[in-house]
Amino acid sequence: AALKITAGDLVYDGTIDMDGHAGTQGGAWDQSGAAGGSVWVTAGTLSGTGGTIGADGGRHGHRWGDTGGGGGRIALYCDSSTYASTNGVHGWELPAMTARGGQGSSDSWDGSAGTVYVDCGDSRNTLLIDGGSISAAGAVERPTLLVDSNMTSYSFNEVKMVRNTWLAFAPYDTSTSTVTVSLANASGDATSTL
């Protein structure tokens, strides 16, 4: 599922839940977790306190071989922010935002983390990758891939990676095998790999 919100002045104190559903359990047809959805919010001025935006992948259905769903995508843009609280692992004065992968029935079946992109308030051109409960082994086998057509150059003011994530750039339909990635700042908790 996907949700797009465009507003001049947005007071955000609520919850946007685009999390993937957990896999079902029981019978001969246990299912894997669903992928997280996408959320795109654009505002002139963002204000509020305590809001959350989630696009996490669903967890497995408890049978060996069931996978966790991949994390979704969140993008938050604003011209200015007066948001009044600091939420979530990112530490920004913005709504708490997560797009974590769902836990699989074993490390090799975990879903990869999604992305949270922020260009709002004091956080400009910033990318967050949060592995949540995914193990280090699961992150290696299921990296977060940025796959964009004809994209050979990426640039971020900050990339923040936390809780066992792997980020890789794998564009397609390019005439070259060289990809340039420019980061002004990289931060995290020393558990992730770029």
Side-chain angles (χ1 to χ4, degrees), residues 113-176:
T115 59
V116 176
Y117 179 81
V118 178
D119 195 22
C120 181
D122 293 333
S123 300
R124 296 290 175 186
N125 191 27
T126 297
L127 184 66
L128 168 68
I129 313 291
D130 178 1
S133 62
I134 302 305
S135 68
V140 171
E141 295 190 32
R142 301 282 187 268
T144 300
L145 297 175
L146 296 187
V147 290
D148 302 283
S149 176
N150 281 323
M151 192 79 151
T152 58
S153 179
Y154 294 83
S155 178
F156 297 100
N157 289 348
E158 181 178 10
V159 172
K160 183 177 283 193
M161 300 171 63
V162 294
R163 298 193 279 198
N164 295 322
T165 59
W166 279 60
L167 175 61
F169 297 85
Y172 64 97
D173 290 338
T174 63
S175 59
T176 177

